[in-house]
Amino acid sequence: MSHSNPDRREFTKTLSAAIAAGMASGGFFSTAPSAKANATTNGKVGVALVGLGNLSTNQLAPALQKTKVMELRGIVTGTPAKADKWQQQYGIAKEHTYNYDNYDEIANDDAIDVIYVVLPNGMHPEYTIRAAKAGKHVLCEKPMANSSEECRQMIAACKDANRKLAIGYRCQFDPFHRRCIELAREQTFGKLKFIEAGFGFKIGDPNQWRLKSALAGGGALMDVGIYALQACRYLTGEEPLEITAQETKTDPVKFAEVDETITWSMKFPSGVSTSCMTTYGFNGINQFTGLCDNGWFGLDPAFSYAPPQPKSSNPSQAKLDLDPVDQFAAEMDAFARCVLHDEPSSVPGEEGLRDLVAIEAIYESIRTGKAVSLA
């Protein structure tokens, strides 16, 4: 999700349903021929954005003006004024405009192939599952859900409906991040030994949904710490064997329901260890560094919407002088091609599940004061 405050009015009336919805469990999505998109006249995949907060308004909608294969065709919003504005600005027909009461009628809309769920984290499971039942493929913003069990339920629902599910991990489609993965995997600077990663910012409005446990599932870790966790996972290509974590709170009133600052370390099967940090308490942390036998590389800043800035011990060897892309456009076009060509996504629901398993281990380590084994 975006790091600013969306309009919460769209979400309040459906919160209880989002938390209490009954869901199935197990499995993962199918890539059978019947999972292809509906035939469209221009050969593009039509998407509807669910939730028109800051991320949809300032990132996704502009990115959809740059996409080559995915096309904005529908919206779901609980605010009539937003519906009118988006219809006029993007030429969206009224018959492709929905609210949270008639959301399920999108099943009858052949112009919509994909639902992009851009709601508070606690609402991801309900609207993903309902989208799958409506026969639509799903892109869901990160974090995938508030728990690993909810992730499994979302995966199962998409499998049962024979629909594809992908998670909005935009950084994995960015050329700078992809090049850093190559540097680690190809051992350009020798064997990767240690990763330092962190992302945080000073959060404002104390009444926003990101500070409410039911909607957010957690604080800085769920919102932005997940980027640092992801970086460690995709640089190593491995899952952590052991996690140790600590939490610090400077404002127990503001952060009564969620975490403020967390530091954690991980050990990976190849021997790589990490030092990670996330916070809602201050600005200035937004980077990762991979330390190797014969040098180092990284990005600083790494995870914000602006193009990443590369750093390395030997720039000519690192070859990080790349052209930036719109990460959201790249992410959405990649999923559209998966749908059109009936191919698996590189960021499926299982990828979101793996992050939540690690996040739950971080929270468990904080609660118990002990290292948590994931082996």
Side-chain angles (χ1 to χ4, degrees), residues 11-249:
F11 313 128
T12 53
K13 65 180 179 180
T14 52
L15 171 58
S16 59
I19 298 170
M23 309 164 192
S25 61
F28 55 92
F29 70 77
S30 169
T31 55
S34 59
K36 289 183 179 179
N38 298 321
T40 56
T41 55
N42 61 1
K44 293 186 177 182
V45 171
V47 65
L49 300 179
V50 182
L52 305 184
N54 281 318
L55 185 63
S56 288
T57 300
N58 299 322
Q59 305 299 330
L60 298 180
L64 281 162
Q65 310 314 301
K66 307 173 188 176
T67 46
K68 298 177 180 178
V69 193
M70 187 169 277
E71 186 172 74
L72 177 60
R73 295 205 188 123
I75 52 175
V76 181
T77 177
T79 306
K82 285 188 178 182
D84 293 340
K85 180 179 179 180
W86 280 64
Q87 287 169 357
Q88 295 175 16
Q89 185 172 358
Y90 296 108
I92 297 170
K94 289 186 178 180
E95 58 264 33
H96 304 314
T97 301
Y98 301 86
N99 55 48
Y100 297 110
D101 293 325
N102 66 7
Y103 173 67
D104 299 308
E105 294 177 14
I106 208 165
N108 302 316
D109 194 338
D110 288 340
I112 307 301
D113 306 299
V114 172
I115 298 291
Y116 197 149
V117 179
V118 200
L119 296 167
N121 312 335
M123 301 176 76
H124 290 178
E126 178 190 355
Y127 283 87
T128 292
I129 290 168
R130 288 169 66 184
K133 289 181 177 179
K136 308 303 179 183
H137 304 286
V138 183
L139 247 176
C140 179
E141 257 308 305
K142 46 61 56 190
M144 184 175 173
N146 285 355
S147 71
S148 60
E149 178 55 30
E150 289 176 327
C151 294
R152 294 183 179 95
Q153 293 162 0
M154 294 160 71
I155 293 168
C158 291
K159 177 188 177 184
D160 290 344
N162 201 23
R163 300 292 92 181
K164 297 183 186 294
L165 170 62
I167 310 304
Y169 289 124
R170 58 183 171 82
C171 291
Q172 293 206 32
F173 300 93
D174 176 82
F176 295 93
H177 286 261
R178 294 173 72 89
R179 177 57 183 155
C180 285
I181 293 172
E182 291 177 352
L183 293 174
R185 306 286 181 84
E186 296 173 2
Q187 299 189 7
T188 303
F189 292 103
K191 187 177 180 181
L192 181 64
K193 294 294 186 68
F194 187 85
I195 301 170
E196 182 184 44
F199 193 17
F201 68 101
K202 188 172 184 177
I203 201 165
D205 180 8
N207 298 311
Q208 63 180 284
W209 69 264
R210 283 182 176 78
L211 300 178
K212 308 299 181 184
S213 178
L215 282 171
L221 177 61
M222 292 284 280
D223 187 17
V224 290
I226 192 172
Y227 286 98
L229 171 61
Q230 268 269 304
C232 294
R233 290 185 52 248
Y234 56 66
L235 289 173
T236 61
E238 300 175 333
E239 301 305 318
L241 293 175
E242 184 179 283
I243 295 178
T244 304
Q246 300 83 32
E247 179 183 1
T248 302
K249 284 190 181 182

